[in-house]
Amino acid sequence: MDSEQQPEPVKQSTRWRWLQHEWTLAVLGGILLAVVLTWPTLRHPATTIPGDIADPTLQAWQVAWGGHVLLTEPGRLWHSNTFFPELFTYAYSDTLLGYAPAGMIGSGFEAALVRYNILYVLLYALAFIGAYALVRQLGAGRIGATVAGVAWAFAPWRLAHSGHMNILSTGGIALCLAMLARGHGWSLRHGYRPDRRRPWWAFAGWLVAAWQISLGFGIGLPLVYFLLGAGLVGAGAYGWSWWRRRQRPAFGGRLLAADLAGGAVFGAVTLGIAWAYFQVVDLNPQAERSLAWTELFSPPVRGLFTAPGESWLWGDRHAAAREQLVWPPEMALLPGVTLIALAVAGLFVSTLRVRHRVVLAIGVLGTALLALGSNLGADGDPGYLTLSKHLPGWDALRTPGRMMIWTSLLLALLAAGTLTAAAAALRRGTRGWQPWPRRAVRAVLLVPLALVLVEGVNRTAHPVVPTPPAAWENVAGPVLVLPSDAGAFELNVMLWSTEGFPEVANGLAGFVPVSQERTRSITTTFPDPGSVDYLRQLGVRTVLVMPDRLAGTPWDGVAQRPVDGLGITREEVAGVLVYRLD
């Protein structure tokens, strides 16, 4: 074979090695698992949405708005096209700003749905990949990391949040911790190894952490405090080692620069988003939540062992237990029976050092107790409510059960330790047992993998999303859609507004802006001189009335009222009444 023919086989061999690489398999495997375990999300991505037609339609709009405004008018980012004429309306809830690049692809209602459904699948994939990377970095074997990744990404408790993309988007948490640990040359199994330091990995970890924060403070704020605490502990350990040995431990100027630069980016993103939230509270004092909300959503102890109804394996079996919960979507917190069993075994059999197992066990217990909120002790103080009273921003985290994100991650680390130890014991043989062949070991360890996979199977609803009416095609904003009754329909209207992004007076958040409350009150008599004058002064140009939705609402009867002498026009378009005020 001459020299000109040699490169092609070499290239093919390189490609084959690349396809067989651990991280290629982890990424592709994570995507495949996500597609299968979230099915049928991608069956009809242009018409259906997982969960329900409430919060998911809001979040589909959020992603679309982020991409649209950054492409067209970045300075208007926080002042969205909804809740007209209010300001900082994009920050009325967790923004999912980090998904804005996806929002730049495609336009309109159908693209918003397809985009949301693809992101919904990919966020599960990222959760698996992030957990796998973290567990591997901390010293576990591949099978342990795989089981841990599946158990964390597809835990039963997460199925209750199929309508909360901001809560499901946890992959960046595990991934940033994996990158930061790698960058600092640290693992649970091997400790600190200065020769393994990688400054660029540390910097990338901070960037991923910043991206995670940009998805929302609902799960991002605990990450902020964890990184702050970890940094203080790390600095303290460094100083203690320096003092004890009378010699400065290796760290390196490049790694310090990476931490300072990355930490600055992380801090800037955190403070920038916090500033927007503070503006919302300043303009809308009623948006500030009292601790009564936290007490309402605090689960009892049995909630930690109860699965949501969306779980294929446990849903029906735990139906009676869920009936005893005040609010099952936030209180059914089962991390997985298999995961709990493996984690308990990991306290006794593990590749991790005893002190590390103890620390992880304390972390599991501590985060689980925090998840109980006000049901810890007499009133949750000391406990979750203590954090709400003393940590800036924590009082806005009204759902303590979401601490299960951290509880289940720590359980996954313990589980990975025991599976790694079991694999090593089987391969080398022990106490008279002959070493097992590698394939036999893998076959045995596929059992816990199969069990966590089964626990992750869903039966999530995928309803058809209401489409924009034909009248929306030529609507002139700002527009008000009636009825505006503070229900899921308001969120549907927000999603409809992705068709051209006209300004709309509709919207739904955790509070009601004063102008919106006044608009709803005055327009119950629409069309009449008072309501028409008010809407004109507000700046509204068009009112769409949905006659089929008026029954039982304060706007019942609007469609039959005359428009004579009001200086407005009314037209019926495919069953929707279009009122033009200018």
Side-chain angles (χ1 to χ4, degrees):
M1 182 181 296
D2 59 36
S3 59
E4 293 181 356
Q5 295 176 320
Q6 291 178 359
E8 187 59 32
V10 172
K11 290 180 181 179
Q12 292 179 355
S13 176
T14 301
R15 293 193 193 104
W16 179 243
R17 285 198 301 270
W18 181 83
L19 288 173
Q20 290 183 305
H21 194 280
E22 175 185 359
W23 295 107
T24 303
L25 294 175
V27 171
L28 295 179
I31 294 173
L32 178 61
L33 282 171
V35 171
V36 172
L37 290 177
T38 60
W39 193 260
T41 298
L42 294 183
R43 178 185 289 170
H44 303 295
T47 56
T48 64
I49 207 162
D52 53 48
I53 58 171
D55 285 348
T57 57
L58 161 68
Q59 291 159 351
W61 165 80
Q62 288 176 313
V63 176
W65 169 258
H68 166 77
V69 74
L70 291 179
L71 281 176
T72 59
E73 197 176 354
R76 192 189 162 188
L77 171 64
W78 299 112
H79 312 306
S80 80
N81 68 313
T82 59
F83 295 96
F84 176 83
E86 295 291 326
L87 301 176
F88 292 96
T89 53
Y90 189 44
Y92 277 8
S93 59
D94 279 346
T95 65
L96 298 176
L97 180 59
Y99 291 139
M104 299 178 183
I105 304 172
S107 62
F109 171 84
E110 186 173 293
L113 277 184
V114 172
R115 183 189 303 120
Y116 178 91
N117 283 314
I118 292 174
L119 285 174
Y120 182 83
V121 173
L122 291 180
L123 69 84
Y124 275 97
L126 183 59
F128 168 81
I129 294 165
Y132 182 92
L134 177 60
V135 173
R136 287 289 282 141
Q137 172 59 34
L138 295 183
R142 296 185 183 185
I143 187 64
T146 302
V147 172
V150 172
W152 191 61
F154 303 98
W157 76 271
R158 287 168 61 93
L159 297 174
H161 293 280
S162 56
H164 299 146
M165 180 174 278
N166 57 322
I167 304 305
L168 295 175
S169 299
T170 57
I173 293 175
L175 188 59
C176 78
L177 296 179
M179 289 179 164
L180 288 169
R182 183 176 180 83
H184 290 81
W186 186 83
S187 75
L188 281 174
R189 191 171 181 180
H190 304 290
Y192 176 52
R193 293 183 289 180
D195 59 309
R196 296 295 185 94
R197 290 170 298 172
R198 300 290 186 273
W200 282 109
W201 275 105
F203 181 71
W206 285 110
L207 296 186
V208 172
W211 174 78
Q212 178 68 57
I213 289 297
S214 73
L215 297 176
F217 274 24
I219 62 172
L221 192 60
L223 175 64
V224 173
Y225 283 114
F226 176 84
L227 291 177
L228 180 61
L232 293 175
V233 169
Y238 184 87
W240 169 256
S241 178
W242 189 350
W243 177 83
R244 189 183 62 176
R245 298 179 181 180
R246 297 294 188 268
Q247 182 179 359
R248 188 175 66 180
F251 193 81
R254 293 178 60 194
L255 181 56
L256 178 61
D259 280 337
L260 291 176
V265 173
F266 176 74
V269 171
T270 301
L271 293 176
I273 295 175
W275 171 81
Y277 289 144
F278 285 135
Q279 297 304 309
V280 171
V281 175
D282 285 344
L283 294 172
N284 304 273
Q286 72 276 23
E288 194 166 359
R289 295 165 176 168
S290 70
L291 294 183
W293 285 98
T294 303
E295 295 169 359
L296 174 65
F297 289 116
S298 295
V301 173
R302 61 178 172 270
L304 301 176
F305 304 97
T306 303
E310 292 81 358
S311 170
W312 174 80
L313 181 62
W314 302 117
D316 290 339
R317 292 175 174 85
H318 290 189
R322 283 195 305 278
E323 290 179 357
Q324 302 178 50
L325 302 178
V326 176
W327 189 252
E330 295 288 354
M331 296 181 180
L333 301 173
L334 179 69
V337 173
T338 305
L339 180 60
I340 293 173
L342 290 172
V344 171
L347 295 175
F348 306 98
V349 180
S350 179
T351 53
L352 300 176
R353 299 173 184 176
V354 173
R355 67 173 181 270
H356 291 151
R357 289 180 241 169
V358 171
V359 170
L360 290 175
I362 293 174
V364 168
L365 181 62
T367 54
L369 292 176
L370 287 176
L372 299 178
S374 62
N375 286 325
L376 174 61
D379 59 0
D381 187 8
Y384 193 89
L385 294 189
T386 308
L387 303 182
S388 299
K389 294 175 181 178
H390 300 291
L391 289 185
W394 201 279
D395 58 328
L397 308 183
R398 56 179 177 154
T399 47
R402 295 174 185 178
M403 291 300 295
M404 184 53 66
I405 292 170
W406 295 88
T407 306
S408 55
L409 183 58
L410 296 172
L411 288 171
L413 293 174
L414 283 169
T418 196
L419 289 173
T420 303
L426 291 173
R427 286 170 185 158
R428 69 173 180 265
T430 182
R431 294 184 180 181
W433 290 84
Q434 294 296 320
W436 287 37
R438 185 176 294 272
R439 290 185 179 180
V441 173
R442 289 178 178 174
V444 170
L445 294 180
L446 283 178
V447 174
L449 176 59
L451 291 175
V452 293
L453 283 170
V454 171
E455 288 198 77
V457 176
N458 80 89
R459 56 178 186 180
T460 301
H462 286 73
V464 175
V465 181
T467 57
W472 194 273
E473 185 175 348
N474 297 311
V475 70
V479 60
L480 169 66
V481 181
L482 297 177
S484 176
D485 56 0
F489 179 59
E490 292 286 276
L491 303 177
N492 299 162
V493 173
M494 295 174 77
L495 180 57
W496 291 353
S497 76
T498 58
E499 289 287 349
F501 287 99
E503 291 181 300
V504 296
N506 300 77
L508 184 65
F511 66 96
V512 181
V514 173
S515 67
Q516 187 181 51
E517 186 172 15
R518 179 172 172 78
T519 297
R520 287 173 175 168
S521 175
I522 291 177
T523 57
T524 56
T525 59
F526 181 85
D528 69 340
S531 61
V532 170
D533 288 345
Y534 169 78
L535 290 175
R536 281 173 171 162
Q537 292 175 14
L538 193 67
V540 173
R541 298 177 59 194
T542 307
V543 177
L544 295 186
V545 175
M546 317 289 288
D548 61 333
R549 292 181 176 270
L550 296 177
T553 73
W555 295 270
D556 198 355
V558 166
Q560 289 76 42
R561 295 171 189 157
V563 297
D564 300 336
L566 295 176
I568 64 176
T569 62
R570 177 174 60 193
E571 175 187 8
E572 181 178 342
V573 180
V576 174
L577 299 179
V578 182
Y579 296 80
R580 295 182 174 86
L581 308 187
D582 53 4

